[in-house]
Amino acid sequence: MKTAIVWFKTDLRLIDNETLVKAISQNDTIIPVYCFDESHFKMTSYGFKKTGNFRAQFLLESLIDLDKSLRALGSGLIILNGKPEVEIPKIAKQFKAHRVYAKREVAFEERQTEALVQAELWKLSCELLTFSTSTLYHAEDLPFSIKDIPDVFTNFRKKTEKDAVIRDAFNQPTSINSPEIPMLDLPTLSDLGLESVSIDERATIRFKGGESEAVKRLNHYFFETKSISNYKETRNGMVGANYSSKFSAWLALGCVSPRFIHLELKRYESQFGANESTYWLVFELLWRDYFRFMMKKHQNKIFLKSGIQNKDLSINKFDKKALENWINAQTGVDFVDANMIELQLTGFMSNRGRQNVASYFCNDLKLDWRYGASYFEQQLIDYDVCSNWGNWAYLAGVGNDPRGNRYFNIEKQASDYDKNKIFRDLWLKR
Ligand SMILES: Cc1cc2nc3c(=O)[nH]c(=O)nc-3n(C[C@H](O)[C@H](O)[C@H](O)COP(=O)(O)OP(=O)(O)OC[C@H]3O[C@@H](n4cnc5c(N)ncnc54)[C@H](O)[C@@H]3O)c2cc1C
C-alpha cells in the first residue's frame, strides 16, 4: 500500500490540479493537508503583517470549500499549524507516507521553506515531488530557458504566443481513497492574531473564497453577463463589479487555474465569438505568468531596493509621516486618497488605482517602494508575491520596464479615468 500526502498551498482547487491528479494516480491512499505556516502571520521587517484580515478570511473560506469538495470524493482536509518543515514530516511519519506531493514554488522564502521540508522528509526516506501548476504556459514549454527569458515583456509575449502551446487542463478527480479524515479544524481569525472583517458595502464585489465561488464568478463574468466581450474597453474602470474580471483573488490562492480560465474562455469564444476583449484577458494572464518567470529568473533581486536593474534609489527614503499619510488617505490628493480608502476598507483596488498610488508613492513622495509593496502585501485580498513585488518594482523603475521610469500624472489620470468624480465621491464622501 503506497500512501502519499498532498500538501495544498496556493492551489486550493480540484479542477486542473496536477499535483492532486498525479498523487492519486501513483498511490493507493491520499492524505490531503494544509499547513498554516506561522511565518505567514508575522510582521515583516517593514512593519506590516504578512497576511491581513481580508486575505485570511478569504483563505479560511477557501479551505472550507476545499474540504467540502474533498469530502464529496471520499476524502477531507487535515489542517496543520506551525512550521511546514516540522509539521509536514510529522504527518508523513504518522501515516507512513513515502511521498509528499506539492506545488512547486518560485519565490525566495517559499523556496526556502520547500527546501527545508524536503531536507526533513529525506531523513524519513520520504520524497517531495513538486509540480508547476500556477501559470498559463508551463515553464517547460517556453521557447526560452528561464535564464534567457527577455527582461522586456513584449519580447517575452510575442515569442511565447508564437512558439508555445498552452497545455490542456487536468480534469477534476472523481474519487479519492483516504482513511477517515477528522472533521475540518480551522483556526479562527483571532487564533491567527487577526480581527474579523466586515466588508464595506461600497466594495466592488464581495470576494468569497473557494473554488466553487471562483467558478461562479467565472460563469457570471463570461456566460451570464458576457462582460468579457467588453473587457478591453472597461478594464480601466474603477466602480462596479464587472469593469474587470476580479479573478485575481481566486487566482492568488489557486482556487482557479489560469488554464481553466483559458479553457472556459475558448468555450465562450466558440459560442459567442472572439474579439479583442476576449484576447485581452489572455494578454493580462500573460503578465501574471511573466512576473512569475521573472521571479524565477531573478530570485531575491526582485526584493532589493535597487531591483533587477541595480539602480541607485538612494533618493527614495523611509519617511514615517509620509508613509502614514499615504496609508491613511491623508495625502490631500483626492484620487490617491479615494483609492487608499478603498484598499483599507475592502482589501481591493483596481489596476488603474494601484498604478497611480504606487507611482505617487515612488515618484511624488519619493519613498522606498518596498514599504508600499509590503503594505499591499498585508492589505490585498489578491496578494500574490510575484505580481505584487514585480509590479511595484516595475513602477519604482527598478524592474522590467524598458522605459525606465513610469511616472503617472495623477491629475491627468483622475480626469481621464474618473472624469465625473464618481469614484472619488464614492470613497471620499462617507
Ligand atoms: C502596484 C501593483 C501591485 C499589484 N499587486 C497585485 C497582487 O498582489 N496580486 C495580483 O493578482 N495582481 C496584482 N497587481 C495586478 C493587477 O492590478 C491585478 O491583478 C488586478 O487589478 C486584479 O483585478 P482583476 O482580477 O479584475 O484584473 P483583470 O483586469 O480582470 O485581469 C485578469 C487577470 O490578469 C492578471 N493581471 C492583470 N493585470 C496584471 C498585472 N499588471 N500584473 C500581473 N497580473 C495581472 C490577474 O491575474 C487578473 O486577475 C498589481 C498591480 C500593481 C500596479
Side-chain angles (χ1 to χ4, degrees), residues 247-262:
F247 293 159
S248 54
W250 290 285
L251 279 165
L253 277 189
C255 301
V256 68
S257 79
R259 271 195 319 223
F260 179 69
I261 295 175
H262 182 256

Side-chain angles (χ1 to χ4, degrees), residues 81 84-95 121 124:
N81 298 282
E85 63 270 27
V86 174
E87 300 305 323
I88 299 293
K90 221 194 267 174
I91 196 111
K93 198 169 170 190
Q94 183 189 333
F95 284 96
L121 287 173
L124 305 172

Side-chain angles (χ1 to χ4, degrees), residues 7-13 15-22 101-106 129-139 167 170 251 253-260 288-289 292-293 296:
W7 175 19
F8 283 94
K9 293 186 280 183
T10 47
D11 53 350
L12 306 179
R13 64 176 184 270
I15 304 171
D16 194 26
N17 190 332
E18 182 178 4
T19 310
L20 178 64
V21 169
K22 290 278 163 67
Y101 289 70
K103 177 192 162 210
R104 190 171 307 151
E105 300 293 349
V106 291
L129 295 189
T130 61
F131 301 84
S132 292
T133 56
S134 56
T135 47
L136 184 62
Y137 285 92
H138 197 286
R167 293 186 185 184
F170 285 86
L251 279 165
L253 277 189
C255 301
V256 68
S257 79
R259 271 195 319 223
F260 179 69
R288 180 176 173 277
D289 272 16
R292 272 199 151 55
F293 296 134
K296 212 169 157 148

